[in-house]
Structures are given as structure tokens and as C-alpha cells.
Amino acid sequence: MFITEAEFQRIYDANAGPILGYLAASTGRRDVADDMLQETFCRLLVQAKSGMEACDVRRYLFRIATNLLRDRWRSGEGRAFDEPDETGATTDLDASIDVRAMLEHLSPRERQLLWLAYVEGMDHAEIAAATGLGRLSVRTLLFRARGRARKFLSAGEELR
Amino acid sequence: MNRQEDRLRDALRGYAARIAASHTVPPASGVWLRAERRRRRLAIERAERPLRIMQALGLVCAMIAAGWLLIQAGSVHPLPSFGTVVLVSTFASLLLVVAGCWAMVLASRRSL
């Protein structure tokens, strides 16, 4: 049996924000992120069955979103961050660290992994499930991504 | 190192909060309607698939029959005898029709 409308509303309310953040941070474009968000939930509705656990749904949604991002990069449309930052006011922390510049500096895969690990708080197994990578690969790639991000942060601190 | 990691985490979460504050998610009803339309289209495609298979099989059978008729008309003769050709054609047609029917029954059961 397919997901009911009420069930979908609940899933959407719980997950749309995090998925949109993930897509916006990965693509750097609001219009693309919006479109991919809708496509992500559309695919969930077409494929998923009713009665899935909340954590399974969340993982499944991130998996779909990751696949969409990968397809976009493969098709050559993945020129990220081609739109100026419109995120509005900055906080004290962001004033010293240009997160957007850091994300732009990283590869798409690194952006995804850092986002899932630090913003979504996923462990290696969950990231592996969400991205389709092996656990060991996640560990290695995340280690590298962390290293590159740290270098960027250190450079920022020195400049300050 | 831990300080830097905390800094990285805070920076990313701060950025996520800014995205959440400035990006409004599209309404769920719009996504639901889009998915409904897609579901309907997929259901139609699924229902039409057996018909397309049958059409293709019918075409193949018709071509075989046409070829056989041409041969029987006497233009080309060094081919198998009448009895063997009829037997093979009948068997092949029967097999194809049964396979087509079976595929259609399976597809209709899946879509229920």
C-alpha cells in the first residue's frame, strides 16, 4: 500500500527542511535545490510503501537526494555555487568563517559527507546508507574532507 | 584539533540555520499532486506494456505467415515441405500467444 496523504504530510514536515538544506548546500543554487527537493519526495511517493520507519524514510530520502545530485554532476550541470549567496544576515561565527567559500572550495562528494556528518549528525554507517558508499570509503573520504576543511579554517584564522 | 572540529561543526550548522531561515520549502500539496500525476502515468504505462508486447508478437506472427504464404504461392520452392512448415509455424505461434497472454496476466496481477 502506498503512503497516505496524511502520512506524507508528516514525513514532509519532518524532512523537507533538512533535505532542502542538504541540496542547497551541495548545489549552491536555490532554484535547483527546490526542484530537486520536489523530485526527491515525488520519488519517495512513487516508490515507497506505507509503514516505513521514520529513520528508514529519512535515510531513504537522503539516498534519493544524493542520487539526484550525482546524476546532476554526471550530466555536467553541476557547476555549483553559480548564484550569489542570498542567505541574508550573518552571525558572529559566520563573520569570521566564510562557510560558503569553504564549501565551494571542496569537491561535491566532500561537501555531502561533511554536511551529513556535521549538520545531520549521521555516523559512518548512516552516511554509507545515504550515499551508497562503503563504510570504509566513507571513513577515508570523510577524513580527507575534514582535513581540507580544517586547512581552510586554519587559513581563515590566520588571516584574521 | 577538537577545537577546529567544533568550529567546523558550528560553522556548518550556522550555515544550515541560515539556509533554513531564508529558504521556504514548497507546499507538500504541490509535491503530492506531482507524485499523483506521475503515479497515474506509470500505471497507464504498466497497463499498456502487455498490449505493446502482444502487438509486437502479432507483427512477428503476421510476417512469418506472410512469408509462408509467399513460399506456398510457388515463387520459391527449395524450402521445407508443407507439413513441417505448418507444424513449426503453428507451434511457434501458439508458444508466442501463450507467452503473451501469460505476460499480460502477470502484469495485470501486479498492477492490482
Side-chain angles (χ1 to χ4, degrees), chain A residues 3 5 8 12 37-39 41-42 45-46 87 89 93-94 96-97 99-100 118 146 150 154 157, chain B residues 1 4-5 7-13 15-16 18 22-23 25-26 28 31-32 34-35 38-39 42:
Chain A
I3 292 171
E5 195 164 358
F8 174 68
Y12 192 80
L37 174 82
Q38 292 192 41
E39 182 59 26
F41 279 92
C42 245
L45 279 172
V46 171
T87 46
L93 190 70
D94 295 323
S96 61
I97 304 164
V99 186
R100 193 178 170 83
Y118 288 110
R146 230 181 258 138
R150 257 196 234 119
S154 306
E157 276 178 1
Chain B
M1 190 152 160
Q4 276 187 331
E5 231 169 80
R7 198 168 175 72
L8 178 62
R9 180 177 294 110
D10 291 344
L12 284 170
R13 287 191 176 169
Y15 187 65
R18 280 199 287 150
S22 63
H23 286 45
V25 292
V31 182
W32 176 265
R34 186 170 156 174
R38 187 174 301 180
R39 259 191 217 162
L42 289 174

Side-chain angles (χ1 to χ4, degrees), chain A residues 20-96:
Chain A
L20 182 66
Y22 175 58
L23 292 168
S26 298
T27 61
R29 290 186 53 175
R30 181 190 295 194
D31 56 338
V32 174
D34 271 355
D35 195 47
M36 288 174 105
L37 174 82
Q38 292 192 41
E39 182 59 26
T40 302
F41 279 92
C42 245
R43 287 195 186 185
L44 173 87
L45 279 172
V46 171
Q47 291 162 11
K49 301 289 176 204
S50 184
M52 277 175 85
E53 293 288 326
C55 59
D56 289 339
V57 171
R58 181 170 174 260
R59 215 173 296 150
Y60 193 43
L61 283 167
F62 274 102
R63 182 69 183 262
I64 297 171
T66 304
N67 288 343
L68 288 173
L69 287 168
R70 198 187 51 218
D71 291 348
R72 185 167 177 272
W73 289 319
R74 279 186 183 165
S75 68
E77 293 168 33
R79 207 160 53 85
F81 297 95
D82 12 6
E83 203 178 57
D85 190 2
E86 294 172 25
T87 46
T90 58
T91 63
D92 289 345
L93 190 70
D94 295 323
S96 61

Side-chain angles (χ1 to χ4, degrees), chain A residues 110-121:
Chain A
E110 287 170 337
R111 282 201 291 270
Q112 284 179 347
L113 294 176
L114 285 178
W115 193 269
L116 294 175
Y118 288 110
V119 178
E120 296 303 324

